[in-house]
Amino acid sequence: MLCVEKSKLGLIIVIGLYFTYFNFIVSGKNLVVEGQEGGVMRDGTHWPDNQISSGRFCSVFEFSDNLITRMYIYVDPDFSSQDNARISILSR
């Protein structure tokens, strides 16, 4: 796992990526990377908890002439599983 320290002014102070679990999908000029990340929130909460949050993300890259021309990142916004009210509505 690669860990990067973040500014203590933000909500996340440490974030790491689990390269072992990356899945790469190539289609034409697009590359999709699925993976898992984890870290520590400023309040000391470790994530993912692997009960509600699994730390999954998906990044979509578009290339032109070997350069990235577009990138989208999709992540679970509830890193620390503290948004139980909205999660319980979605799980019904």
Side-chain angles (χ1 to χ4, degrees):
M1 177 165 125
L2 169 72
C3 289
V4 177
E5 292 266 341
K6 294 284 190 174
S7 165
K8 295 199 183 215
L9 298 175
L11 293 176
I12 300 172
I13 58 171
V14 176
I15 187 169
L17 301 171
Y18 300 95
F19 293 112
T20 309
Y21 303 109
F22 277 22
N23 184 27
F24 299 92
I25 302 164
V26 178
S27 177
K29 60 183 180 176
N30 296 308
L31 168 67
V32 178
V33 182
E34 297 176 306
Q36 187 176 23
E37 58 189 358
V40 181
M41 305 298 286
R42 184 172 45 175
D43 67 2
T45 304
H46 289 256
W47 58 276
D49 65 7
N50 292 313
Q51 294 175 8
I52 295 173
S53 172
S54 61
R56 302 272 177 213
F57 73 89
C58 179
S59 298
V60 180
F61 300 87
E62 184 175 301
F63 290 86
S64 178
D65 296 325
N66 294 323
L67 297 174
I68 298 171
T69 55
R70 188 174 74 166
M71 178 183 177
Y72 290 100
I73 301 172
Y74 303 93
V75 297
D76 176 359
D78 188 19
F79 293 115
S80 57
S81 300
Q82 296 178 0
D83 197 3
N84 292 331
R86 285 190 286 184
I87 295 297
S88 65
I89 290 171
L90 294 174
S91 65
R92 291 182 196 167

